[in-house]
Coordinates of all heavy atoms in Angstrom, one line a residue:
M280 N 48.4 42.8 -31.8 CA 48.9 44.1 -32.3 C 49.6 44.8 -31.2 O 49.0 44.9 -30.1 CB 47.7 44.9 -32.8 CG 47.2 44.4 -34.1 SD 46.0 45.7 -34.7 CE 45.1 44.6 -35.8
G281 N 50.6 45.5 -31.5 CA 51.3 46.3 -30.5 C 50.7 47.7 -30.5 O 49.8 48.1 -31.2
I282 N 51.2 48.5 -29.5 CA 50.8 49.8 -29.3 C 51.1 50.7 -30.6 O 50.3 51.5 -31.0 CB 51.4 50.5 -28.1 CG1 50.8 49.7 -26.8 CG2 51.0 51.9 -28.0 CD1 51.4 50.1 -25.5
D283 N 52.3 50.4 -31.2 CA 52.7 51.2 -32.3 C 51.8 50.9 -33.5 O 51.4 51.8 -34.2 CB 54.1 50.8 -32.7 CG 54.8 51.7 -33.7 OD1 54.5 52.9 -33.7 OD2 55.5 51.1 -34.6
M284 N 51.3 49.7 -33.7 CA 50.4 49.3 -34.8 C 49.1 50.0 -34.6 O 48.5 50.5 -35.5 CB 50.3 47.8 -34.9 CG 49.6 47.4 -36.1 SD 50.5 47.9 -37.6 CE 50.0 46.7 -38.7
D285 N 48.6 50.0 -33.3 CA 47.3 50.6 -33.0 C 47.3 52.1 -33.3 O 46.4 52.7 -33.8 CB 46.9 50.4 -31.6 CG 46.6 48.9 -31.3 OD1 46.2 48.2 -32.2 OD2 46.6 48.5 -30.1
E286 N 48.5 52.7 -33.0 CA 48.6 54.2 -33.3 C 48.6 54.5 -34.8 O 48.0 55.4 -35.2 CB 49.9 54.7 -32.6 CG 50.0 56.2 -32.7 CD 51.3 56.6 -31.9 OE1 51.8 55.9 -31.1 OE2 51.7 57.8 -32.2
K287 N 49.3 53.6 -35.5 CA 49.3 53.8 -37.0 C 47.9 53.6 -37.6 O 47.5 54.4 -38.4 CB 50.2 52.8 -37.7 CG 51.7 53.1 -37.5 CD 52.5 52.1 -38.2 CE 54.0 52.3 -38.0 NZ 54.8 51.3 -38.7
I288 N 47.1 52.7 -37.1 CA 45.8 52.4 -37.6 C 44.9 53.6 -37.2 O 44.1 54.1 -38.0 CB 45.2 51.1 -37.0 CG1 45.9 49.9 -37.6 CG2 43.7 51.0 -37.3 CD1 45.6 48.6 -36.9
Y289 N 45.1 54.1 -36.0 CA 44.3 55.3 -35.5 C 44.5 56.5 -36.4 O 43.6 57.2 -36.8 CB 44.7 55.6 -34.0 CG 43.9 56.7 -33.4 CD1 42.6 56.5 -33.0 CD2 44.5 57.9 -33.3 CE1 41.9 57.5 -32.4 CE2 43.8 59.0 -32.7 CZ 42.5 58.8 -32.2 OH 41.8 59.8 -31.7
K290 N 45.8 56.8 -36.7 CA 46.1 57.9 -37.5 C 45.6 57.7 -39.0 O 45.1 58.7 -39.6 CB 47.7 58.1 -37.5 CG 48.2 58.7 -36.2 CD 49.7 58.9 -36.3 CE 50.2 59.5 -35.0 NZ 51.7 59.8 -35.1
T291 N 45.8 56.5 -39.5 CA 45.3 56.3 -40.8 C 43.8 56.4 -40.9 O 43.3 57.0 -41.9 CB 45.7 54.8 -41.3 OG1 47.1 54.7 -41.2 CG2 45.2 54.5 -42.7
M292 N 43.0 56.0 -39.9 CA 41.6 56.1 -39.9 C 41.2 57.6 -39.9 O 40.3 58.1 -40.5 CB 41.0 55.4 -38.8 CG 41.0 53.9 -38.9 SD 40.3 53.0 -37.5 CE 38.6 53.5 -37.6
G293 N 42.0 58.4 -39.1 CA 41.7 59.8 -39.0 C 41.9 60.5 -40.3 O 41.1 61.4 -40.7
R294 N 43.0 60.2 -41.0 CA 43.3 60.8 -42.3 C 42.3 60.4 -43.3 O 41.8 61.2 -44.1 CB 44.7 60.4 -42.8 CG 45.8 61.0 -42.0 CD 47.2 60.7 -42.7 NE 48.2 61.0 -41.7 CZ 49.1 60.1 -41.3 NH1 49.0 58.8 -41.7 NH2 50.0 60.4 -40.4
S295 N 41.9 59.1 -43.3 CA 40.9 58.6 -44.3 C 39.5 59.3 -44.0 O 38.8 59.7 -45.0 CB 40.7 57.1 -44.1 OG 41.9 56.5 -44.5
G296 N 39.1 59.5 -42.8 CA 37.9 60.2 -42.5 C 37.9 61.6 -42.9 O 36.9 62.1 -43.5
A297 N 39.0 62.3 -42.7 CA 39.1 63.7 -43.1 C 39.1 63.8 -44.6 O 38.5 64.7 -45.2 CB 40.4 64.3 -42.5
L298 N 39.8 62.9 -45.3 CA 39.8 63.0 -46.7 C 38.4 62.7 -47.3 O 38.0 63.4 -48.3 CB 40.8 61.9 -47.3 CG 40.9 61.9 -48.8 CD1 41.5 63.2 -49.3 CD2 41.8 60.7 -49.2
A299 N 37.7 61.8 -46.7 CA 36.3 61.5 -47.2 C 35.4 62.7 -47.0 O 34.6 63.1 -47.9 CB 35.7 60.3 -46.4
I300 N 35.6 63.5 -45.9 CA 34.8 64.7 -45.7 C 35.1 65.7 -46.7 O 34.3 66.4 -47.3 CB 35.0 65.2 -44.2 CG1 34.3 64.2 -43.2 CG2 34.4 66.6 -44.1 CD1 34.7 64.5 -41.8
V301 N 36.4 65.9 -47.0 CA 36.9 66.9 -47.9 C 36.3 66.6 -49.3 O 35.8 67.5 -50.0 CB 38.4 67.1 -48.0 CG1 38.9 67.9 -49.1 CG2 38.9 67.7 -46.6
I302 N 36.5 65.3 -49.7 CA 36.0 64.9 -51.1 C 34.4 65.1 -51.1 O 33.9 65.5 -52.2 CB 36.4 63.5 -51.4 CG1 37.9 63.5 -51.6 CG2 35.7 62.9 -52.6 CD1 38.5 62.1 -51.8
G303 N 33.7 64.8 -50.1 CA 32.3 65.0 -50.0 C 31.9 66.4 -50.2 O 31.0 66.8 -51.0
I304 N 32.6 67.4 -49.6 CA 32.3 68.8 -49.7 C 32.6 69.3 -51.1 O 31.8 70.0 -51.7 CB 33.1 69.6 -48.7 CG1 32.6 69.3 -47.2 CG2 33.1 71.1 -49.0 CD1 33.5 69.9 -46.1
I305 N 33.7 68.8 -51.7 CA 34.1 69.2 -53.0 C 33.0 68.7 -54.0 O 32.6 69.4 -54.9 CB 35.5 68.7 -53.4 CG1 36.5 69.4 -52.6 CG2 35.7 68.8 -54.9 CD1 37.9 68.9 -52.7
S306 N 32.5 67.5 -53.8 CA 31.5 66.9 -54.7 C 30.2 67.7 -54.6 O 29.6 67.9 -55.6 CB 31.2 65.4 -54.3 OG 32.4 64.7 -54.5
I307 N 29.8 68.1 -53.4 CA 28.6 68.9 -53.3 C 28.7 70.2 -54.0 O 27.8 70.7 -54.7 CB 28.3 69.1 -51.8 CG1 27.8 67.8 -51.1 CG2 27.2 70.2 -51.6 CD1 27.7 67.8 -49.6
V308 N 29.9 70.9 -53.8 CA 30.1 72.2 -54.4 C 30.1 72.1 -55.9 O 29.5 72.9 -56.6 CB 31.4 72.8 -53.9 CG1 31.8 74.1 -54.7 CG2 31.3 73.2 -52.4
M309 N 30.8 71.1 -56.4 CA 30.8 70.9 -57.9 C 29.5 70.5 -58.5 O 29.1 71.0 -59.5 CB 31.9 69.8 -58.3 CG 33.3 70.1 -57.9 SD 33.9 71.6 -58.8 CE 33.9 71.0 -60.5
G310 N 28.7 69.7 -57.7 CA 27.4 69.4 -58.2 C 26.5 70.6 -58.2 O 25.7 70.8 -59.2
L311 N 26.5 71.4 -57.2 CA 25.7 72.6 -57.2 C 26.1 73.6 -58.3 O 25.3 74.1 -59.0 CB 25.8 73.3 -55.9 CG 25.1 72.7 -54.7 CD1 25.4 73.4 -53.4 CD2 23.6 72.8 -54.9
A312 N 27.4 73.7 -58.5 CA 27.9 74.6 -59.6 C 27.4 74.1 -61.0 O 27.0 74.9 -61.8 CB 29.4 74.8 -59.5
S313 N 27.6 72.9 -61.2 CA 27.2 72.3 -62.5 C 25.7 72.4 -62.7 O 25.2 72.7 -63.8 CB 27.7 70.9 -62.7 OG 27.1 70.0 -61.8
G314 N 24.9 72.2 -61.6 CA 23.5 72.3 -61.7 C 23.0 73.7 -62.0 O 22.1 73.9 -62.9
I315 N 23.7 74.7 -61.4 CA 23.3 76.1 -61.6 C 23.6 76.5 -63.1 O 22.9 77.1 -63.8 CB 24.0 77.0 -60.6 CG1 23.4 76.8 -59.2 CG2 24.0 78.5 -61.0 CD1 24.2 77.4 -58.1
L316 N 24.8 76.0 -63.6 CA 25.2 76.3 -64.9 C 24.2 75.7 -65.9 O 23.9 76.3 -67.0 CB 26.6 75.9 -65.2 CG 27.7 76.7 -64.5 CD1 29.1 76.0 -64.7 CD2 27.7 78.1 -65.0
L317 N 23.8 74.5 -65.7 CA 22.8 73.8 -66.5 C 21.5 74.5 -66.6 O 20.9 74.7 -67.6 CB 22.6 72.4 -66.1 CG 23.8 71.4 -66.5 CD1 23.6 70.1 -65.8 CD2 23.9 71.3 -68.0
L318 N 21.0 75.0 -65.4 CA 19.8 75.8 -65.3 C 19.9 77.1 -66.1 O 19.0 77.4 -66.9 CB 19.4 76.1 -63.9 CG 18.9 74.9 -63.1 CD1 18.8 75.3 -61.6 CD2 17.6 74.5 -63.6
I319 N 21.0 77.8 -66.0 CA 21.2 79.0 -66.7 C 21.2 78.8 -68.2 O 20.5 79.5 -69.0 CB 22.5 79.7 -66.2 CG1 22.3 80.2 -64.8 CG2 22.8 80.9 -67.2 CD1 23.5 80.7 -64.2
S320 N 22.0 77.8 -68.7 CA 22.1 77.6 -70.1 C 20.8 77.0 -70.7 O 20.4 77.4 -71.8 CB 23.2 76.6 -70.4 OG 23.0 75.3 -69.9
G321 N 20.0 76.2 -69.9 CA 18.7 75.8 -70.4 C 17.7 76.9 -70.5 O 17.0 77.0 -71.4
G322 N 17.8 77.8 -69.5 CA 16.9 79.0 -69.6 C 17.2 79.9 -70.8 O 16.3 80.4 -71.5
R323 N 18.5 80.0 -71.1 CA 18.8 80.8 -72.3 C 18.4 80.2 -73.6 O 17.9 80.8 -74.5 CB 20.3 81.0 -72.3 CG 20.8 82.0 -71.3 CD 22.3 82.3 -71.4 NE 22.7 83.2 -70.4 CZ 24.0 83.5 -70.2 NH1 24.9 82.9 -70.9 NH2 24.3 84.4 -69.3
L324 N 18.5 78.8 -73.6 CA 18.1 78.1 -74.8 C 16.5 78.3 -75.0 O 16.0 78.5 -76.1 CB 18.4 76.6 -74.7 CG 19.9 76.3 -75.0 CD1 20.2 74.8 -74.7 CD2 20.3 76.6 -76.4
L325 N 15.8 78.1 -73.9 CA 14.3 78.2 -74.0 C 13.9 79.7 -74.4 O 13.0 79.9 -75.1 CB 13.7 77.8 -72.7 CG 13.7 76.3 -72.4 CD1 13.2 76.0 -71.0 CD2 12.9 75.5 -73.4
G326 N 14.6 80.6 -73.8 CA 14.3 82.0 -74.1 C 14.6 82.4 -75.5 O 14.0 83.3 -76.1
G327 N 15.6 81.8 -76.1 CA 16.0 82.1 -77.5 C 15.2 81.4 -78.6 O 15.4 81.6 -79.8
R328 N 14.3 80.5 -78.2 CA 13.5 79.8 -79.2 C 12.7 80.7 -80.0 O 12.5 80.4 -81.2 CB 12.5 78.8 -78.5 CG 13.2 77.5 -78.0 CD 12.1 76.5 -77.6 NE 11.1 77.1 -76.7 CZ 10.1 76.5 -76.2 NH1 9.9 75.2 -76.5 NH2 9.3 77.0 -75.4
S329 N 12.2 81.8 -79.4 CA 11.3 82.6 -80.2 C 12.0 83.4 -81.3 O 11.4 84.0 -82.2 CB 10.6 83.6 -79.2 OG 11.5 84.4 -78.6
K330 N 13.3 83.5 -81.2 CA 14.1 84.3 -82.1 C 14.5 83.5 -83.4 O 15.1 84.0 -84.3 CB 15.4 84.8 -81.5 CG 15.1 85.7 -80.3 CD 16.4 86.1 -79.6 CE 16.0 87.0 -78.4 NZ 17.2 87.3 -77.6
I331 N 14.2 82.2 -83.4 CA 14.6 81.3 -84.5 C 13.5 81.4 -85.6 O 12.3 81.2 -85.3 CB 14.8 79.9 -84.0 CG1 15.9 79.8 -83.0 CG2 15.1 79.0 -85.2 CD1 16.1 78.5 -82.4
L332 N 13.9 81.6 -86.8 CA 13.0 81.6 -87.9 C 13.3 80.4 -88.8 O 14.4 80.2 -89.2 CB 13.1 82.9 -88.7 CG 12.8 84.2 -88.0 CD1 13.1 85.4 -88.9 CD2 11.3 84.2 -87.6
F333 N 12.2 79.7 -89.2 CA 12.4 78.6 -90.2 C 11.9 78.9 -91.5 O 10.9 79.6 -91.7 CB 11.7 77.3 -89.6 CG 12.4 76.7 -88.5 CD1 12.0 76.9 -87.2 CD2 13.5 75.9 -88.7 CE1 12.6 76.3 -86.1 CE2 14.2 75.3 -87.6 CZ 13.7 75.5 -86.3

C-alpha cells in the first residue's frame, strides 16, 4: 500500500468512528425519550382506571 492509500484508510476510519459515535448518541436520546413517553402514558392509563364504569 502506498502512502496515499494509507491516508485514505485513515480518513475513512476517522469518519466511520465519528459517525458511529453520533448514531450512538442519537440512539440513546431517542431511547430515553421513548421510554419517558411510555412511562407517562402508562401512568395516565393506570390513573384513569378508576374512572371507567362497567
Side-chain angles (χ1 to χ4, degrees):
M280 285 188 205
I282 294 173
D283 190 37
M284 189 63 154
D285 289 341
E286 187 175 339
K287 286 182 182 180
I288 292 171
Y289 182 78
K290 286 182 179 181
T291 301
M292 288 177 66
R294 288 187 198 120
S295 298
L298 183 63
I300 290 172
V301 169
I302 291 174
I304 291 171
I305 291 171
S306 298
I307 289 171
V308 170
M309 293 300 292
L311 285 174
S313 63
I315 290 169
L316 289 174
L317 285 169
L318 285 172
I319 291 170
S320 64
R323 286 184 180 171
L324 285 171
L325 288 174
R328 281 192 311 178
S329 61
K330 298 176 184 176
I331 297 175
L332 298 174
F333 287 101

